[in-house]
Amino acid sequence: DVNALLVGMRDMLERVLGEHIRIELRRDWDLHAAMIDPGQLEDAVLNLCLNARDAMPAGGYLVLETRALELDLPGSLETHDGALQPGRYVVLAVADTGVGMSEETLSRAFEPFFSTKEVGKGSGLGLSMIFGFLSQSGGHVQISSDLGVGTRVSLFLPCAPEHGEGANDAQARPAPI
């Protein structure tokens, strides 16, 4: 239950991120359960939130949003590692009002050991570990960013099977894309 995971993390995120970051949860209440390791997902969300904090040194807004997604057409949505396959997904997006990234930085964001932070302030492994975790889990990641506007990272999590169906069979409630 991705919504429950976010609600459970909120107090900790407020403490870790500081008073200068305002957190907003936007939850789709009609989500299927995601077929994902909750501990690894929590680590991924924390990492994305810490990156967002670092991108907003003077403060800003952090939005954690969930929504259901059903894709009917192959290749109708591109992610970092290719096009999403048809099926149902839970989308968890982390968006900030930070400094954003240039096209060059964005193109290297998932490279292991690539970091825009000062030496000793980051390992450059956070986004590459998120990418690996999602790939192993049958999920995907998409990132968009604009300099001076902020960054949005969307995690596409496969839905858990319901009532004997396959994990991504097309029997979902959300409208198709």
Side-chain angles (χ1 to χ4, degrees):
D1 183 338
V2 176
N3 284 332
L5 181 130
L6 292 178
V7 169
M9 291 182 71
R10 186 178 184 125
D11 287 343
M12 180 265 299
L13 288 174
E14 287 175 345
R15 285 190 309 274
V16 170
L17 300 180
E19 293 178 8
H20 66 295
I21 307 285
R22 180 166 177 213
I23 301 171
E24 181 179 340
L25 296 181
R26 297 180 187 162
R27 294 166 286 169
D28 181 343
W29 294 103
D30 196 25
L31 288 183
H32 290 282
M35 193 159 151
I36 204 87
D37 180 270
Q40 287 185 303
L41 181 58
E42 189 172 275
D43 288 346
V45 170
L46 178 59
N47 185 284
L48 292 172
C49 291
L50 292 173
N51 284 349
R53 177 200 63 194
D54 294 346
M56 300 184 287
Y61 292 92
L62 177 69
V63 177
L64 302 166
E65 179 179 15
T66 61
R67 67 183 172 95
L69 173 68
E70 180 182 351
L71 290 176
D72 287 340
L73 301 173
S76 60
L77 184 63
E78 289 291 323
T79 63
H80 173 69
D81 55 342
L84 283 176
Q85 294 301 309
R88 291 181 312 178
Y89 297 88
V90 171
V91 182
L92 168 56
V94 178
D96 66 57
T97 58
V99 296
M101 290 184 265
S102 68
E103 285 295 322
E104 179 184 345
T105 299
L106 194 57
S107 71
R108 299 186 62 198
F110 294 103
E111 287 180 19
F113 304 109
F114 176 76
S115 179
T116 59
K117 298 176 184 174
E118 298 174 29
V119 175
K121 298 279 183 174
S123 66
L125 290 174
L127 288 177
S128 65
M129 289 182 1
I130 290 169
F131 173 78
F133 152 63
L134 288 171
S135 295
Q136 276 184 324
S137 304
H140 300 272
V141 63
Q142 182 182 60
I143 187 169
S144 60
S145 188
D146 291 306
L147 284 173
V149 177
T151 300
R152 179 183 186 90
V153 180
S154 298
L155 309 180
F156 295 84
L157 314 173
C159 285
E162 286 187 5
H163 311 294
E165 67 186 35
N168 275 326
D169 288 347
Q171 184 193 25
R173 289 170 246 158
I177 286 184

